[in-house]
Amino acid sequence: MSSEDENLLAILGPTNTGKTFTAFEKLFSYSSGIFGFPLRLLARENYDKAVKRIGVSRVALITGEEKIYPKEAKYFFCTVESMPNNISVDCVIIDEVQLAADYERGHIFTDRILNLKGNFQTILLGSLNIENILKKIYPNIVIEKKKRFSQLTFLRKQNFSKLEPRSAIIAFNINKVYEIAENIRTHKGGTAVVLGSLSPRTRNAQVEVYENKNVDYLVATDAIGMGLNLNINHVSFSSLEKFDGRYNRNLAPNEIGQIAGRAGRYKKDGTFSYTKEAGNLDPLVIQQIETHNFDNIQKIYWRNNDLDFNSIELLLSSLKKYPIQNFFIHKKNALDEINFRNLIHDNEIRKNLISKKNLNLLWDICQIPDFEKLFNDNYLLLLKNIFLTLIDNNYSIPEDWIRNKVSRLNNFGGGIPELSIKISQIRTWTYISNNHDWCKNSYYWREKTQEIENKLSDQLHNSLTKKFIDYSSKYFIGNPKFNNFEDILVKNNNEIYLENNKFGILKGFDLIEDKKIFSQSLFSISNIKKSVRKMIDEKIENFLNAPLDSISFGEISKSKIKDETFIYWGEEPVGKLKKGKSIYKPTADSLNSEYLSSENKLMVSAKLQKWIDNHISDTLHPLILNLDENINSDIRAIAFNCLENFGNYPIENFKNDLKKITNESKLQLSKLGVRIGAKYFFTPSLLKKKPLELSAILWKTYYQYEINEYLPLPLNGRVSFTSEIKMPDNYWQSIGYIKINNFLFRIDVFEKIFFIARQKMKKGPFLESSDLMNPIGCNSDQLKDIMIYCGYDYLTISDQKKLFFLANKKKVTKKFKKNNSNTRINKKNDKNKIKKDPNSPFAVLEKLL
């Protein structure tokens, strides 16, 4: 330590004070300089800035795994460990000097603070809590304190779901990072991932994803606490403790402050919080973090750098040397020292440690970083193999040996864990080729190992991106050109696509999601649903303004009896019919949909109800007329039963009343649209296709008959048809049809046929003829059944034609039952019966024929 320290400057302050920027500018006010950073990532970032400023030929990059060293270089950007001590420069800058108190790396920072000086200026950058130590080391050091550009404020505990965009979530082990990242992907669309164990190239790529706003969240370890300049508004801690290589311990207030301080950029304020599972933070600690007022660092780590390699004992003795000052802590059990102490007990190695050169070689090998963080015998075995290989090959690594090691890693397949391991392994060889002349063709191996590391890093970045970022989220995150949902989703025949991926299909006021949804991200799905909701809101508005005649029941003939009756707008279902107080007063209700607000549901239902009420009123007009108060009581009873049964009712029930009805009463009934047939009262206007189908729908809705068949209806308004479906009699009556066996025919046409038959019968028995069959569209057997139903019997004569005559009333029912069972009257039996009665008119008729 020198008392002549007037050329020393310490720029101290919390994060976001512009310390690094100020030092960077000062560096170029000198003709040469070295800038040491705590991370390779930061060294590379500032190297790139310098290259853009003064050109590639004047700037060098020196890190453990990367060396770019032009001959004309005047400015050196390095990791603290790689800062050269054999170069004379005008200015030396060391960043984050408070890390001299770090258990793992503190002794290295202390060594650089003590032993690296610029010819004209040395600048130390760090937190305010290192001030006390720096003044003890250099009493005359100039301290320049900087205030934070923005405020840092604590927010209450928050769950991940409540985090706003541009937030960083901090975890302290890789499994937790990945767990949180998966959570954020699912609910927020995706996240970038920053881990200390990632290669710098992968970390840079992940940071770029965040900075370019492809995602709004970042999940990271405390690696972001060291100078990564990111646009973070909020930092959330998922834990307030970490494993420091020895044991789990609580984070110190200044450590929390260092990480939390990444929230806020330049003059934009930042916030920090922690999750409920993280525990609790003392209010006094929160106050310390907000005011950046931390306890001063009392001691920093130190280790003797003047090592004696004349023997194992002398080297170990020099490592045991204690510092003079009481504010230094003697660093014990550094990783390189642990490696050395373990390896010197190996017999194969120890027998080679008889020379200073070999001892120095082993020490250099023990400083190879454990990139895999193995902390086990495999790492020591690797170091041993390297040492023995060098000894056996005249201090040179054979080409075949290193090629064998490296070629195994030139494979870019595998998942995230496998890629991470490969990167850690190749970084070992990248470090060796950059830091030592053990390879005959060191330039080739630097290039080769760096190439493999870059490709593995790119592959890992792609794997992390695919795993933790839903690609579709890019359409919904901070991209103004996609603010209009019509720019995001493409509708093709009501099918919703995002780019070429089908999400679902719009049906009515609902979205039927595709079974194979391309995205598992709830974030993207919820955003797509928001967009679809806007589409549906517009669709509802159009529906509410649409004319009532745009609503229908769709293809009624394709409606199954047991299924609900849907109401369509155009070709899309928007509502359904429910059983009401009476058969003519069903309830219309909109279909349930998560995209339909309560208010819209009420308005849609109201319009559907108005439509069905008007549809019934317009289509079944006679049925809803109020009966005149002065109408005859007998006619009122007939009219009431007809109106309750879709305008059709058997006359049998009013046979006696009809004998007393006057012509005036019949006229009253006619004015209601009801006609009096021989067998039925019927309403001709309700036997057309449209009212007939509506009657079928109303019957189906009211009676809720549970059979899995389509509604049996005549096609294209035909007056007859066949059906195997077994339906209650009141269904056939409701649509105005009579069913005999499987043949159905319309009541009004039946009455016409019955009238023709009665006219023919006035002249005696009559033969089947086209004027009987054509109006109803039936064949001979079907006409036979109809005539039997009308009270006639028949004979089959020689040319297979049927002769009809009035039957004995007692036999009609019996014969009709036989007819219904498809039994045929035996011709011989008929003849026998006639022979038994030789005076029968039919016997005479048979002889004539």
Side-chain angles (χ1 to χ4, degrees), residues 566-588:
F566 293 103
I567 304 173
Y568 294 82
W569 179 41
E571 296 181 353
E572 299 178 341
V574 293
K576 59 185 176 182
L577 214 57
K578 293 182 176 180
K579 181 176 181 178
K581 293 180 180 179
S582 74
I583 198 167
Y584 298 119
K585 293 183 179 180
T587 301

Side-chain angles (χ1 to χ4, degrees), residues 239-254:
S239 175
L240 296 172
E241 64 175 32
K242 66 176 286 189
F243 179 74
D244 65 1
R246 294 173 295 169
Y247 50 80
N248 277 326
R249 62 172 178 80
N250 291 329
L251 293 170
N254 63 298

Side-chain angles (χ1 to χ4, degrees), residues 98 127-133 254 294-298:
Q98 76 277 0
S127 301
L128 291 167
N129 59 350
I130 195 68
E131 178 185 4
N132 179 53
I133 294 292
N254 63 298
F294 303 109
D295 295 338
N296 286 329
I297 293 172
Q298 301 300 321

Side-chain angles (χ1 to χ4, degrees), residues 40-315:
R40 175 184 171 189
L41 193 66
L42 292 175
R44 181 76 203 209
E45 179 184 316
N46 284 276
Y47 164 79
D48 291 339
K49 287 181 184 177
V51 167
K52 289 179 182 178
R53 181 164 176 163
I54 63 172
V56 69
S57 64
R58 299 181 62 198
V59 186
L61 175 66
I62 306 174
T63 69
E65 303 154 63
E66 197 170 11
K67 278 187 173 55
I68 303 173
Y69 200 154
K71 291 180 180 179
E72 300 175 6
K74 295 295 182 182
Y75 301 92
F76 302 84
F77 291 83
C78 319
T79 51
V80 170
E81 285 85 349
S82 300
M83 292 176 77
N85 55 11
N86 57 350
I87 299 174
S88 176
V89 293
D90 293 343
C91 179
V92 170
I93 303 171
I94 306 172
D95 193 17
E96 305 290 1
V97 292
Q98 76 277 0
L99 286 177
D102 179 72
Y103 177 79
E104 292 293 332
R105 303 171 68 199
H107 64 286
I108 299 169
F109 279 80
T110 301
D111 179 71
R112 304 303 184 261
I113 292 169
L114 294 176
N115 300 311
L116 275 183
K117 301 289 190 303
N119 295 331
F120 296 105
Q121 185 154 46
T122 302
I123 302 174
L124 306 177
L125 310 178
S127 301
L128 291 167
N129 59 350
I130 195 68
E131 178 185 4
N132 179 53
I133 294 292
L134 293 180
K135 283 183 176 179
K136 287 182 179 180
I137 299 173
Y138 300 114
N140 296 322
I141 190 171
V142 176
I143 304 292
E144 182 182 321
K145 297 181 181 180
K146 283 185 169 288
K147 291 185 178 179
R148 185 177 164 92
F149 289 129
S150 60
Q151 288 188 333
L152 183 63
T153 308
F154 175 72
L155 300 180
R156 68 184 187 281
K157 292 182 180 180
Q158 290 182 313
N159 289 328
F160 298 136
S161 59
K162 303 295 182 182
L163 290 178
E164 294 294 328
R166 314 314 294 167
S167 292
I169 302 98
I170 309 301
F172 294 99
N173 69 69
I174 190 169
N175 291 333
K176 191 64 177 178
V177 167
Y178 289 162
E179 178 189 328
I180 294 170
E182 187 64 37
N183 184 303
I184 296 298
R185 178 194 185 278
T186 301
H187 295 95
K188 303 290 187 179
T191 179
V193 175
V194 174
L195 302 164
S197 60
L198 296 179
S199 68
R201 187 180 179 92
T202 305
R203 272 183 286 175
N204 277 340
Q206 287 290 301
V207 165
E208 188 176 353
V209 166
Y210 175 80
E211 288 293 274
N212 290 343
K213 296 188 176 179
N214 293 325
V215 294
D216 269 334
Y217 297 88
L218 178 72
V219 182
T221 60
D222 51 350
I224 72 163
M226 291 299 161
L228 284 180
N229 295 313
L230 302 171
N231 286 299
I232 297 172
N233 296 338
H234 180 77
V235 170
S236 176
F237 291 85
S238 67
S239 175
L240 296 172
E241 64 175 32
K242 66 176 286 189
F243 179 74
D244 65 1
R246 294 173 295 169
Y247 50 80
N248 277 326
R249 62 172 178 80
N250 291 329
L251 293 170
N254 63 298
E255 289 177 308
I256 299 174
Q258 181 77 24
I259 300 167
R262 291 297 144 198
R265 184 89 181 261
Y266 193 44
K267 294 186 178 180
K268 187 175 183 179
D269 293 340
T271 55
F272 73 99
S273 67
Y274 53 91
T275 61
K276 292 180 179 178
E277 65 180 23
N280 289 296
L281 205 55
D282 191 299
L284 292 176
V285 173
I286 293 172
Q287 185 180 19
Q288 281 183 293
I289 296 167
E290 289 181 326
T291 59
H292 320 293
N293 183 20
F294 303 109
D295 295 338
N296 286 329
I297 293 172
Q298 301 300 321
K299 294 186 178 185
I300 59 176
Y301 286 94
W302 176 92
R303 185 174 77 176
N304 178 30
N305 71 340
D306 184 17
L307 302 180
D308 188 344
F309 289 98
N310 285 302
S311 69
I312 295 174
E313 291 73 19
L314 289 174
L315 178 55

Side-chain angles (χ1 to χ4, degrees), residues 763-774:
K763 298 177 182 180
F766 57 91
L767 289 170
E768 63 181 34
S769 58
S770 60
D771 60 339
L772 289 172
M773 291 187 284
N774 287 349

Side-chain angles (χ1 to χ4, degrees), residues 311-582:
S311 69
I312 295 174
E313 291 73 19
L314 289 174
L315 178 55
L316 292 176
S317 179
S318 59
L319 286 170
K320 291 179 181 177
K321 185 177 179 181
Y322 274 79
I324 299 172
Q325 303 296 336
N326 62 2
F327 49 82
F328 290 142
I329 304 172
H330 179 227
K331 174 59 181 173
K332 301 175 182 178
N333 298 323
L335 184 59
D336 52 5
E337 185 178 344
I338 292 173
N339 293 338
F340 183 78
R341 289 181 180 277
N342 282 321
L343 290 175
I344 59 176
H345 295 297
D346 185 285
N347 291 331
E348 290 182 78
I349 290 177
R350 193 173 184 90
K351 67 182 181 181
N352 291 294
L353 298 180
I354 55 176
S355 69
K356 184 175 182 179
K357 183 177 181 178
N358 287 1
L359 199 57
N360 214 324
L361 175 64
L362 181 61
W363 180 252
D364 287 341
I365 289 172
C366 288
Q367 291 182 305
I368 296 173
D370 179 15
F371 292 107
E372 288 188 69
K373 305 297 181 187
L374 296 173
F375 302 112
N376 60 26
D377 292 342
N378 288 335
Y379 174 50
L380 289 174
L381 184 60
L382 171 65
L383 300 183
K384 174 184 174 179
N385 286 339
I386 293 171
F387 177 77
L388 294 177
T389 300
L390 286 167
I391 294 296
D392 293 341
N393 292 277
N394 196 24
Y395 303 101
S396 177
I397 296 177
E399 292 289 298
D400 290 343
W401 191 83
I402 189 171
R403 183 176 289 108
N404 180 52
K405 299 288 185 183
V406 170
S407 62
R408 288 183 299 169
L409 304 174
N410 196 15
N411 177 355
F412 313 118
I416 290 173
E418 188 176 347
L419 287 168
S420 298
I421 291 171
K422 288 178 182 177
I423 289 173
S424 299
Q425 291 173 343
I426 197 64
R427 287 177 74 185
T428 299
W429 302 109
T430 304
Y431 176 89
I432 290 172
S433 60
N434 274 280
N435 284 272
H436 302 285
D437 295 325
W438 299 334
C439 300
K440 291 178 180 178
N441 193 355
S442 59
Y443 176 79
Y444 169 80
W445 289 112
R446 281 198 296 269
E447 293 292 315
K448 184 64 177 178
T449 55
Q450 190 64 61
E451 177 191 354
I452 294 173
E453 181 184 331
N454 288 345
K455 289 181 178 179
L456 285 169
S457 297
D458 292 341
Q459 187 63 37
L460 178 58
H461 167 66
N462 291 336
S463 297
L464 289 170
T465 300
K466 287 178 182 178
K467 184 170 180 62
F468 298 123
I469 300 175
D470 174 24
Y471 91 95
S472 61
S473 65
K474 66 183 178 183
Y475 296 98
F476 308 102
I477 297 175
N479 201 333
K481 74 176 183 177
F482 292 122
N483 282 346
N484 188 343
F485 60 87
E486 292 180 355
D487 294 333
I488 304 172
L489 303 179
V490 177
K491 289 190 292 184
N492 181 18
N493 294 327
N494 282 335
E495 291 181 329
I496 302 299
Y497 285 85
L498 185 60
E499 284 190 329
N500 296 320
N501 296 289
K502 183 178 176 182
F503 183 80
I505 183 169
L506 282 175
K507 283 193 176 181
F509 305 134
D510 200 6
L511 176 71
I512 309 303
E513 294 176 10
D514 196 79
K515 291 181 179 179
K516 297 180 180 178
I517 293 179
F518 62 91
S519 172
Q520 297 302 316
S521 166
L522 297 181
F523 172 80
S524 288
I525 291 173
S526 64
N527 275 281
I528 291 172
K529 286 184 176 182
K530 285 179 185 176
S531 299
V532 170
R533 190 168 283 111
K534 291 179 182 178
M535 291 180 184
I536 289 176
D537 284 345
E538 287 187 2
K539 198 172 181 181
I540 290 170
E541 187 176 349
N542 293 335
F543 168 76
L544 295 174
N545 293 324
L548 289 176
D549 60 11
S550 63
I551 304 173
S552 71
F553 286 118
E555 291 191 55
I556 295 175
S557 61
K558 292 185 178 180
S559 176
K560 285 202 169 182
I561 299 167
K562 73 171 186 176
D563 292 346
E564 292 181 305
T565 301
F566 293 103
I567 304 173
Y568 294 82
W569 179 41
E571 296 181 353
E572 299 178 341
V574 293
K576 59 185 176 182
L577 214 57
K578 293 182 176 180
K579 181 176 181 178
K581 293 180 180 179
S582 74

